[in-house]
Each structure stands twice: as structure tokens, then as C-alpha cells.
Amino acid sequence: MSDYIFYPGCAMESNAKAYYDSLMEIAQPLGINLQEIDDWNCCGATEYVGINLIPAYSLIARNLALAAKMGHKTIISPCSACYLNLAKADYYMAERPSLGEKVNEALAAGDLQYTPGSLDIRHLLDVLINDIGLDKLKEKVVRPLKGLKVAPYMGCMVPRPDYHNRWSDAEHPTELFDVLKAIGAEVVDFPGAATCCGGHMTQIGPETAYELIRRLISSAEKSKADIMVTVCPMCQLNVDAYQGETNSHFGTNYNMPIVFFSQLVGLALGFPPEKLGFGSEVTSTEKALAQIGVDIPESAIAEGKKRQQEGLPMPLCMRKTTTSESKHAEEAKA
């Protein structure tokens, strides 16, 4: 078993819980031992750095500072936005010493400190390809996904910027293609593999987001794909949950499911679909998985529709403050 520090990120506990569940299943047979950072907090996604750099990078670097105290060098982030944020904070704290000093001044308020370059920040897909290896992955396959046509959607945040030359090509990365081939799937030609899904444009410019989503789904359909596969919670959310709005906007009738690559790896390793989060998606995967003889139990579909009601993860000290403030507010009302 290889030990890694694990930064799950907020999405893995909410809309991308299928990603988390499937990763937890496949980790042990692939020899991946994940040690989650205690008291980690939200990385701020993509918005915070556009408002104020010091608080934004302090928020991200707090996770790096906590991770650096755990005794291992490599930190895994399965979420593309989290991976990019952690890598950017590490890179910019080194490139801009004044930024690093100000971030460490903020961290000192919590008795923390981070030295840029002290951690190796990697995406789950990178670890699967370069540490575990495709040969070992193939050895573990007991149910090849033969006959399932998949469109490999890498998204835009993982392959670029590529600070440490981890990826085969910034514009045309092959890593996801290689993993899907290794588990026996039929990988179709998908020109949009590294293009943007629109990110949070669904909230601030829906028409732009719908057009980007339409291009992706249309490309997958033209390639005769049964299903799209991604490494990114944001990409999965946009293509899946906003497919209905996209259809309404353009008068189309797309019905293209999209899942996480760890879910398909789990199927190939022999895990049942209900253990891998299948059934939680908005656009059903039932027809696509039927092509390889996989049925999703009705109980898994019903369970998958339940949503977490809690907010974003916050440091313990802030949670205590918020709880205390709520208690005082209730007492004042009484």
C-alpha cells in the first residue's frame, strides 16, 4: 500500500458523493491508502481569487499547512478545482515571496505555516497512471467494460496550467483515454476532451454556459458515445444537472449521462453499482450500463436522490463561532 494525504474538497461530500464513494471502494485493491486532512476547509473554488488574493490564498494554504504536518509528502486531490487551487497556491507563494509572507502572516493566527514546495500536489488520475500504473490496473479488472462507448472528458482545470509537466499534453491529454482503455471500454474520439464546461457561468451567465454544455453533449453524441466520463465534479454537475435547462434553451432532446472515471473503474474491478454511487445522477445511466449487463437497483436510485443539507466545510474554530452566534441569536429572540 502507498500512503497519500487526502484532500477531498466540498464537492466530494455533496454533489460529487459518487466520486467519493467509488474512490473509497477502489482505493484498497489498487494499493492506495488515503489519510484525510483533519479539519480541512473549502478551497474557495474559483471565485475567491477574483476578489482578494491574500484571503483567497490563505484559505487554500491553510489546507497545505495542515497537510504538511502529517508526515507524508504527497497530497491527492480528486477534484479538479481543488487540485488546481492547491497547486496554484503552492506555485504563487514561491514565485511571489511577498504573497507567501502575507499568507503565512494570516496562517500564523492559527499557529500554522506553509513552506511552498514542501508538498507534492497531485490529481487522483495522475497517481493512478504514474504510481499505480496501467499494468496493475489491468491485472485487477474482472469485468472488462467491453461494448460500452465512452467519451473521455478531462475538462480544462487539470491539464493546465501544468506547473510540473505532469500531463502528456495540455490541449490533448491522453491519460483519461488510457485508463478507460485499460478497463476495457471502447473510447470514442471526443474533440472536446479538454474544453471548458462553463464552470459557474450557469449562475452568472446561463446562456453562455448552456452553449458550452450543448457543444460537449453534441460532440459526444456525434461520436456515438453511450456515456461521458469525467475527472471533475464541476464538469459532472454542469453536464448532468443542467442538461435539462440546456435542452429547454435550445429545443434539443439530449439524454447523455456523465459519471466519474472512478465509478467505471469500480465496475471493472467487480464492485456492484450501488457501492459506486450509480443512481445519484440526474441523467440516468441505466440504458448505458445495460449495454454491459449492469443493472442499477431501484433502492440505489432512491437513495442517490437524497441531498446533503449542510453548508460548506469550515475550520472547527469558525464552526464553533457560528454555532455560538446562532445560539445567542436564538436566545435573543426568546
Side-chain angles (χ1 to χ4, degrees):
M1 297 287 281
S2 299
D3 294 327
Y4 298 93
I5 303 168
F6 179 47
Y7 177 67
C10 314
M12 301 283 278
E13 295 189 344
S14 52
N15 61 286
K17 193 169 183 303
Y19 201 178
Y20 179 88
D21 290 344
S22 52
L23 172 56
M24 292 301 108
E25 294 295 334
I26 67 174
Q28 194 278 333
L30 293 177
I32 301 173
N33 183 34
L34 298 171
Q35 300 178 22
E36 186 170 326
I37 301 170
D38 185 39
D39 194 28
W40 59 267
N41 56 265
C42 172
C43 74
T46 55
E47 287 82 359
Y48 285 17
V49 291
I51 298 171
N52 192 315
L53 287 180
I54 304 302
Y57 281 118
S58 299
L59 190 70
I60 303 166
R62 180 178 181 275
N63 297 306
L64 296 174
L66 291 170
K69 296 168 68 175
M70 294 177 66
H72 301 296
K73 183 173 173 58
T74 303
I75 177 171
I76 287 183
S77 174
C79 170
S80 300
C82 296
Y83 162 74
L84 180 58
N85 272 344
L86 294 174
K88 283 171 66 176
D90 181 73
Y91 180 82
Y92 285 128
M93 285 179 71
E95 186 198 44
R96 305 173 189 177
S98 61
L99 173 68
E101 289 176 10
K102 291 175 181 175
V103 167
N104 270 319
E105 286 177 13
L107 294 178
D111 293 325
L112 293 171
Q113 188 270 341
Y114 178 67
T115 302
S118 58
L119 287 173
D120 197 15
I121 301 160
R122 301 175 63 186
H123 191 275
L124 173 63
L125 182 63
D126 168 25
V127 168
L128 183 55
I129 287 277
N130 295 307
D131 287 12
I132 309 306
L134 293 174
D135 289 340
K136 182 172 181 178
L137 177 60
K138 290 177 183 176
E139 289 175 6
K140 297 290 182 181
V141 171
V142 297
R143 180 168 52 195
L145 307 188
K146 186 177 180 182
L148 184 65
K149 296 178 182 177
V150 299
Y153 182 35
M154 188 90 159
C156 61
M157 289 190 284
V158 168
R160 52 185 184 269
D162 188 2
Y163 295 120
H164 299 286
N165 299 315
R166 299 193 189 282
W167 306 101
S168 54
D169 189 299
E171 299 300 326
H172 305 287
T174 62
E175 283 79 2
L176 183 57
F177 178 97
D178 295 337
V179 166
L180 295 171
K181 288 285 287 184
I183 59 176
E186 182 179 338
V187 188
V188 304
D189 183 26
F190 184 53
T195 59
C196 180
C197 70
H200 290 169
M201 289 299 288
T202 51
Q203 307 303 306
I204 57 179
E207 291 187 0
T208 300
Y210 298 156
E211 171 58 18
L212 294 173
I213 293 168
R214 185 200 64 79
R215 292 180 187 180
L216 289 167
I217 300 172
S218 173
S219 177
E221 278 211 347
K222 287 177 181 175
S223 299
K224 309 293 184 187
D226 300 314
I227 193 168
M228 292 174 67
V229 178
T230 187
V231 303
C232 174
M234 176 60 76
C235 295
Q236 198 279 336
L237 176 68
N238 275 352
V239 175
D240 185 32
Y242 288 93
Q243 196 164 149
E245 283 88 342
T246 301
N247 278 332
S248 297
H249 185 73
F250 291 105
T252 51
N253 190 31
Y254 294 123
N255 190 32
M256 176 62 66
I258 178 170
V259 297
F260 298 102
F261 79 104
S262 52
Q263 292 178 272
L264 289 193
V265 170
L267 283 181
L269 266 54
F271 291 99
E274 60 270 29
K275 292 281 188 182
L276 304 168
F278 286 101
S280 61
E281 59 278 345
V282 175
T283 306
S284 175
T285 57
E286 290 180 280
K287 183 179 177 181
L289 297 188
Q291 308 253 9
I292 52 174
V294 173
D295 294 321
I296 304 175
E298 288 296 326
S299 58
I301 296 173
E303 181 66 23
K305 301 305 179 187
K306 295 179 181 177
R307 299 296 183 191
Q308 181 180 330
Q309 299 300 317
E310 298 176 1
L312 298 177
M314 299 172 66
L316 282 175
C317 58
M318 295 182 68
R319 273 180 262 169
K320 289 175 182 175
T321 301
T322 303
T323 303
S324 176
E325 288 173 349
S326 299
K327 183 179 179 181
H328 291 158
E330 290 176 2
E331 289 175 351
K333 288 180 181 177

